[in-house]
Amino acid sequence: MKFLVGNWKSNGNIKEKKRLLGSLNHLKPKTKVILCLPFTLLNDTKTKIALGAQDISLYPNGAFTGDISGTMLKDLGVKYVIVGHSERRRYHHETNAIVKNKANIALQNGIIPIVCIGESEIEHKQGKTRSVIKRMLLESVPEVGKFIVAYEPRWAIGTGVTPTAKEIESIHKIIFETLKTIHCEKMPVLYGGSVNAGNTTDFIDIPHVDGFMVGRASLKSETFVPIIKNMN
Ligand code: PGA
Protein backbone atom coordinates (compact mmCIF):
# COMPACT_ATOMS: atom_id res chain seq x y z
CA MET A 1 0.00 0.00 0.00
CA LYS A 2 1.15 3.52 -0.79
CA PHE A 3 0.93 6.38 1.70
CA LEU A 4 0.23 10.06 1.20
CA VAL A 5 0.88 12.29 4.19
CA GLY A 6 -0.33 15.88 4.06
CA ASN A 7 1.59 18.17 6.42
CA TRP A 8 -0.28 21.40 7.07
CA LYS A 9 2.51 22.79 9.27
CA SER A 10 1.36 25.96 11.08
CA ASN A 11 -1.41 26.68 8.56
CA GLY A 12 -5.14 26.34 8.21
CA ASN A 13 -8.32 26.95 10.15
CA ILE A 14 -11.57 25.13 10.89
CA LYS A 15 -13.20 26.28 7.65
CA GLU A 16 -10.28 25.19 5.50
CA LYS A 17 -10.10 21.80 7.21
CA LYS A 18 -13.85 21.24 6.60
CA ARG A 19 -13.46 22.28 2.97
CA LEU A 20 -10.55 19.92 2.27
CA LEU A 21 -12.05 16.95 4.11
CA GLY A 22 -15.35 17.57 2.30
CA SER A 23 -13.61 17.40 -1.06
CA LEU A 24 -11.92 14.10 -0.13
CA ASN A 25 -15.13 12.42 1.05
CA HIS A 26 -16.27 11.15 -2.32
CA LEU A 27 -12.86 9.76 -3.28
CA LYS A 28 -12.05 6.10 -2.84
CA PRO A 29 -8.28 6.27 -2.69
CA LYS A 30 -6.24 3.08 -2.87
CA THR A 31 -3.60 5.12 -1.10
CA LYS A 32 -3.61 5.55 2.69
CA VAL A 33 -4.14 9.31 3.04
CA ILE A 34 -3.08 10.84 6.37
CA LEU A 35 -3.60 14.53 7.07
CA CYS A 36 -1.27 15.92 9.75
CA LEU A 37 -2.94 19.03 11.14
CA PRO A 38 -2.05 21.61 13.78
CA PHE A 39 -3.19 20.52 17.27
CA THR A 40 -6.03 23.07 17.17
CA LEU A 41 -7.67 21.19 14.28
CA LEU A 42 -7.42 17.70 15.78
CA ASN A 43 -10.60 17.96 17.83
CA ASP A 44 -12.64 15.74 15.51
CA THR A 45 -10.74 12.68 14.31
CA LYS A 46 -13.80 10.68 13.28
CA THR A 47 -13.19 11.38 9.63
CA LYS A 48 -12.77 9.00 6.69
CA ILE A 49 -9.26 10.36 6.20
CA ALA A 50 -6.82 9.49 8.99
CA LEU A 51 -5.67 12.52 10.96
CA GLY A 52 -2.23 12.87 12.47
CA ALA A 53 -0.36 15.34 14.66
CA GLN A 54 2.87 17.14 13.81
CA ASP A 55 4.61 16.73 17.15
CA ILE A 56 4.31 14.96 20.49
CA SER A 57 5.66 15.93 23.89
CA LEU A 58 8.68 14.20 25.38
CA TYR A 59 6.86 14.26 28.72
CA PRO A 60 3.78 12.62 30.23
CA ASN A 61 0.82 14.65 31.51
CA GLY A 62 1.94 17.05 34.20
CA ALA A 63 3.64 20.38 34.77
CA PHE A 64 4.85 20.91 31.19
CA THR A 65 3.14 24.12 30.10
CA GLY A 66 2.30 24.19 26.43
CA ASP A 67 3.11 20.53 25.75
CA ILE A 68 0.68 18.08 24.15
CA SER A 69 1.33 14.60 25.52
CA GLY A 70 1.01 11.21 23.89
CA THR A 71 -1.87 10.41 26.24
CA MET A 72 -3.74 13.49 25.01
CA LEU A 73 -3.22 12.53 21.37
CA LYS A 74 -4.35 8.98 22.09
CA ASP A 75 -7.42 10.33 23.86
CA LEU A 76 -8.31 12.29 20.70
CA GLY A 77 -8.00 9.17 18.55
CA VAL A 78 -4.90 10.37 16.68
CA LYS A 79 -3.25 7.44 14.89
CA TYR A 80 -0.11 9.04 13.41
CA VAL A 81 2.37 11.71 14.42
CA ILE A 82 5.22 13.35 12.52
CA VAL A 83 8.43 13.37 14.55
CA GLY A 84 11.69 15.12 13.70
CA HIS A 85 10.48 17.22 10.80
CA SER A 86 13.39 19.36 9.61
CA GLU A 87 11.55 22.49 10.81
CA ARG A 88 11.37 21.02 14.34
CA ARG A 89 15.02 20.04 14.16
CA ARG A 90 15.92 23.53 12.95
CA TYR A 91 13.70 25.85 14.99
CA HIS A 92 13.34 23.73 18.13
CA HIS A 93 16.80 22.14 18.14
CA GLU A 94 15.49 18.59 18.08
CA THR A 95 18.29 16.04 17.90
CA ASN A 96 18.14 12.45 16.66
CA ALA A 97 17.98 11.31 20.30
CA ILE A 98 14.97 13.53 20.97
CA VAL A 99 13.28 12.33 17.78
CA LYS A 100 13.79 8.70 18.74
CA ASN A 101 12.45 9.39 22.20
CA LYS A 102 9.35 11.01 20.73
CA ALA A 103 8.87 8.08 18.35
CA ASN A 104 8.98 5.69 21.32
CA ILE A 105 6.47 7.79 23.26
CA ALA A 106 4.14 7.74 20.25
CA LEU A 107 4.36 3.94 20.07
CA GLN A 108 3.68 3.60 23.79
CA ASN A 109 0.41 5.43 23.08
CA GLY A 110 -0.52 3.29 20.08
CA ILE A 111 0.40 6.06 17.62
CA ILE A 112 2.55 5.35 14.54
CA PRO A 113 5.47 7.80 14.28
CA ILE A 114 6.39 9.25 10.89
CA VAL A 115 10.12 9.79 11.35
CA CYS A 116 11.61 12.51 9.15
CA ILE A 117 15.21 12.57 7.99
CA GLY A 118 16.99 14.66 5.35
CA GLU A 119 20.30 16.29 4.60
CA SER A 120 20.93 20.04 4.41
CA GLU A 121 21.91 21.87 1.24
CA ILE A 122 25.55 22.12 2.37
CA GLU A 123 25.72 18.41 3.19
CA HIS A 124 24.18 17.70 -0.20
CA LYS A 125 26.71 19.88 -2.01
CA GLN A 126 29.59 18.34 -0.08
CA GLY A 127 28.50 14.85 -1.13
CA LYS A 128 27.67 13.82 2.43
CA THR A 129 24.05 12.82 1.80
CA ARG A 130 24.57 9.05 2.18
CA SER A 131 26.47 9.17 5.46
CA VAL A 132 24.16 11.83 6.93
CA ILE A 133 21.04 9.89 6.00
CA LYS A 134 22.29 6.59 7.38
CA ARG A 135 23.24 8.16 10.67
CA MET A 136 20.02 10.15 11.03
CA LEU A 137 17.98 7.05 10.26
CA LEU A 138 19.74 4.71 12.66
CA GLU A 139 19.73 7.25 15.45
CA SER A 140 16.13 8.46 15.00
CA VAL A 141 13.96 5.38 14.46
CA PRO A 142 12.51 3.41 17.38
CA GLU A 143 14.03 0.00 18.20
CA VAL A 144 10.74 -1.84 18.30
CA GLY A 145 7.35 -1.23 16.76
CA LYS A 146 5.98 0.08 13.49
CA PHE A 147 7.06 3.36 11.98
CA ILE A 148 7.09 5.25 8.69
CA VAL A 149 10.16 7.06 7.38
CA ALA A 150 9.90 10.31 5.40
CA TYR A 151 13.02 11.21 3.47
CA GLU A 152 12.89 14.97 2.95
CA PRO A 153 16.05 16.71 1.71
CA ARG A 154 16.02 20.06 3.51
CA TRP A 155 16.93 21.92 0.33
CA ALA A 156 13.84 20.52 -1.40
CA ILE A 157 11.31 21.59 1.24
CA GLY A 158 9.19 24.52 0.09
CA THR A 159 11.69 25.48 -2.62
CA GLY A 160 10.13 24.01 -5.75
CA VAL A 161 13.41 22.14 -6.33
CA THR A 162 13.58 18.35 -6.00
CA PRO A 163 16.25 15.72 -6.50
CA THR A 164 16.03 13.87 -9.82
CA ALA A 165 14.15 10.57 -9.93
CA LYS A 166 17.55 8.82 -10.14
CA GLU A 167 18.81 10.60 -7.02
CA ILE A 168 15.64 9.72 -5.12
CA GLU A 169 16.03 6.10 -6.24
CA SER A 170 19.60 5.89 -4.99
CA ILE A 171 18.84 7.45 -1.57
CA HIS A 172 15.75 5.29 -1.07
CA LYS A 173 17.86 2.23 -1.86
CA ILE A 174 20.34 3.26 0.83
CA ILE A 175 17.49 3.80 3.29
CA PHE A 176 16.06 0.37 2.45
CA GLU A 177 19.43 -1.29 2.90
CA THR A 178 20.09 0.54 6.15
CA LEU A 179 16.66 -0.49 7.47
CA LYS A 180 17.51 -4.06 6.50
CA THR A 181 20.51 -4.04 8.84
CA ILE A 182 18.10 -3.47 11.73
CA HIS A 183 15.42 -5.83 10.33
CA CYS A 184 13.05 -2.97 9.55
CA GLU A 185 13.03 -3.13 5.75
CA LYS A 186 9.24 -3.59 5.72
CA MET A 187 8.67 -0.09 7.09
CA PRO A 188 7.30 2.29 4.43
CA VAL A 189 9.62 5.04 3.21
CA LEU A 190 8.10 8.22 1.76
CA TYR A 191 9.69 10.97 -0.28
CA GLY A 192 8.94 14.60 0.64
CA GLY A 193 10.02 18.04 -0.54
CA SER A 194 8.19 20.10 -3.19
CA VAL A 195 5.94 17.21 -4.17
CA ASN A 196 3.11 18.22 -6.53
CA ALA A 197 0.71 16.65 -8.99
CA GLY A 198 3.29 17.03 -11.78
CA ASN A 199 6.24 15.26 -10.19
CA THR A 200 4.26 12.50 -8.42
CA THR A 201 3.77 10.78 -11.77
CA ASP A 202 7.58 10.70 -12.22
CA PHE A 203 8.29 9.58 -8.65
CA ILE A 204 5.52 7.11 -7.84
CA ASP A 205 7.10 4.08 -9.52
CA ILE A 206 10.59 4.56 -8.12
CA PRO A 207 11.62 1.37 -6.26
CA HIS A 208 11.42 1.71 -2.45
CA VAL A 209 9.30 4.87 -2.69
CA ASP A 210 6.16 3.95 -0.74
CA GLY A 211 4.46 7.30 -1.10
CA PHE A 212 4.89 10.98 -0.34
CA MET A 213 4.84 13.63 2.34
CA VAL A 214 3.36 16.84 0.99
CA GLY A 215 3.43 20.30 2.55
CA ARG A 216 2.14 23.22 0.54
CA ALA A 217 0.21 21.14 -2.00
CA SER A 218 -1.81 19.48 0.79
CA LEU A 219 -3.46 22.73 1.89
CA LYS A 220 -6.04 22.97 -0.89
CA SER A 221 -8.12 20.35 -2.67
CA GLU A 222 -7.15 21.85 -6.06
CA THR A 223 -3.55 20.74 -5.49
CA PHE A 224 -4.04 17.75 -3.14
CA VAL A 225 -6.77 15.80 -4.92
CA PRO A 226 -4.79 15.50 -8.21
CA ILE A 227 -1.91 13.91 -6.25
CA ILE A 228 -4.31 11.35 -4.74
CA LYS A 229 -5.70 10.63 -8.20
CA ASN A 230 -2.20 10.21 -9.67
CA MET A 231 -1.42 7.66 -6.99
CA ASN A 232 -4.50 5.50 -7.68
P1 PGA B 1 6.61 21.10 0.77
O1 PGA B 1 6.86 20.61 2.27
O2 PGA B 1 5.80 20.02 0.10
O3 PGA B 1 5.88 22.38 0.90
O4 PGA B 1 7.96 21.24 0.14
C1 PGA B 1 7.11 19.26 2.57
C2 PGA B 1 7.31 19.06 4.03
O5 PGA B 1 7.93 19.91 4.70
O6 PGA B 1 6.86 18.06 4.59
Side-chain angles (χ1 to χ4, degrees):
M1 195 193 8
K2 299 271 186 195
F3 291 81
L4 178 63
V5 177
N7 173 14
W8 271 27
K9 309 191 179 187
S10 193
N11 290 299
N13 55 37
I14 296 169
K15 209 168 141 192
E16 285 163 348
K17 172 190 160 185
K18 271 197 188 136
R19 198 182 296 146
L20 184 72
L21 289 178
S23 72
L24 302 181
N25 256 338
H26 68 284
L27 297 176
K28 291 199 175 63
K30 290 190 195 121
T31 306
K32 175 79 187 168
V33 182
I34 304 160
L35 204 54
C36 293
L37 299 171
F39 290 130
T40 52
L41 299 177
L42 286 174
N43 55 324
D44 172 21
T45 52
K46 286 188 184 58
T47 52
K48 266 175 70 183
I49 299 292
L51 297 189
Q54 300 170 14
D55 187 34
I56 184 167
S57 173
L58 279 176
Y59 306 104
N61 288 1
F64 305 101
T65 303
D67 275 23
I68 304 289
S69 71
T71 319
M72 292 170 182
L73 293 178
K74 183 181 176 183
D75 187 41
L76 276 178
V78 167
K79 295 283 183 293
Y80 298 87
V81 63
I82 298 173
V83 290
H85 189 279
S86 73
E87 287 145 18
R88 302 271 340 155
R89 291 176 184 264
R90 185 168 167 194
Y91 302 119
H92 299 273
H93 314 291
E94 292 192 6
T95 60
N96 292 338
I98 291 177
V99 174
K100 184 181 188 145
N101 215 335
K102 288 190 169 185
N104 281 325
I105 291 163
L107 287 167
Q108 283 157 22
N109 286 285
I111 299 168
I112 296 179
I114 304 168
V115 182
C116 300
I117 54 168
E119 80 285 3
S120 69
E121 188 169 13
I122 296 173
E123 290 161 342
H124 172 66
K125 284 193 174 145
Q126 291 175 340
K128 291 186 184 155
T129 301
R130 287 159 188 256
S131 56
V132 168
I133 290 305
K134 273 191 198 169
R135 184 162 172 201
M136 278 183 109
L137 185 67
L138 292 173
E139 290 182 1
S140 303
V141 297
E143 275 123 21
V144 279
K146 270 194 201 168
F147 59 87
I148 296 173
V149 175
Y151 167 58
E152 300 201 298
R154 260 155 62 179
W155 50 274
I157 295 176
T159 58
V161 181
T162 67
T164 62
K166 272 220 154 93
E167 284 171 322
I168 295 175
E169 182 170 351
S170 92
I171 302 301
H172 276 248
K173 190 161 179 269
I174 290 165
I175 295 172
F176 175 77
E177 275 159 9
T178 308
L179 287 173
K180 216 169 168 182
T181 64
I182 52 167
H183 311 291
C184 288
E185 71 275 13
K186 294 222 170 78
M187 301 305 152
V189 183
L190 320 183
Y191 168 76
S194 294
V195 168
N196 58 43
N199 56 31
T200 39
T201 46
D202 300 332
F203 297 162
I204 192 68
D205 292 324
I206 299 175
H208 306 305
V209 170
D210 301 300
F212 305 109
M213 182 182 269
V214 184
R216 194 179 307 175
S218 70
L219 292 172
K220 290 207 165 79
S221 60
E222 291 83 347
T223 45
F224 199 47
V225 170
I227 297 177
I228 299 175
K229 287 189 174 160
N230 282 349
M231 291 177 75
N232 263 349

